[in-house]
Amino acid sequence: MKTIPRRIVTGIKNGKSIIEKDEIVSNVSEHFPGLIISDIWSTDSMPVHLSEEKIIENTAFPHTPKNGTYFRYVQIPPDKDLGIAATVGQPHPLMHQTATLDYIVILSGEIYLIMDEGETLLQAGDIVIQRGTNHAWSNRSNEPCIQLAVLVDASF
């Protein structure tokens, strides 16, 4: 399974800033062939309690805590590797909606962001602000797409 980049966690000890953890991310899962997910960090309050770490289990679809945030690494394989075929005139099979405000950065590869009406090709360096809308991801290339996402609990 793919190694996720290391995670650095800072903290305070005796009134001084320190590095509490410096490690390769260990909670990595593959829910579908080639779909690599690591739910790296989560919070469950606003404002955030900086002294707390909320351990979270990787899930195919995120479960952002009420009044919280979710930070996840996602590697999305090509549609053909997942066995996904979109039918013209029908919703994409992975169409979904979350009650979150999502900040997404495409790190590598390319992927289509599909909406109920329209789609756009995203490439490395592109940023998406996804505001609780119905959407799907479609990787029509031959290479995986890697993205980082921060999901913030939201209301409609």
Side-chain angles (χ1 to χ4, degrees), residues 53-75:
E53 177 176 357
K54 187 173 185 304
I55 305 298
I56 53 177
E57 182 178 333
N58 291 341
T59 58
F61 292 98
H63 301 287
T64 306
K66 184 75 177 151
N67 298 316
T69 63
Y70 218 74
F71 181 40
R72 78 179 355 203
Y73 171 104
V74 183
Q75 175 181 292

Side-chain angles (χ1 to χ4, degrees), residues 25-115:
V25 172
S26 59
N27 64 329
V28 179
S29 59
E30 187 171 4
H31 297 280
F32 303 101
L35 178 63
I36 310 296
I37 294 175
S38 181
D39 292 327
I40 297 172
W41 196 264
S42 181
T43 64
D44 60 3
S45 65
M46 285 292 173
V48 173
H49 299 286
L50 293 176
S51 61
E52 297 178 6
E53 177 176 357
K54 187 173 185 304
I55 305 298
I56 53 177
E57 182 178 333
N58 291 341
T59 58
F61 292 98
H63 301 287
T64 306
K66 184 75 177 151
N67 298 316
T69 63
Y70 218 74
F71 181 40
R72 78 179 355 203
Y73 171 104
V74 183
Q75 175 181 292
I76 303 172
D79 289 356
K80 62 182 175 54
D81 294 351
L82 286 174
I84 294 173
T87 305
V88 176
Q90 297 295 316
H92 190 276
L94 297 181
M95 190 68 80
H96 66 286
Q97 181 176 15
T98 56
T100 56
L101 170 63
D102 305 346
Y103 305 122
I104 302 162
V105 179
I106 307 302
L107 295 181
S108 67
E110 64 180 40
I111 197 157
Y112 283 85
L113 171 60
I114 302 171
M115 309 304 291

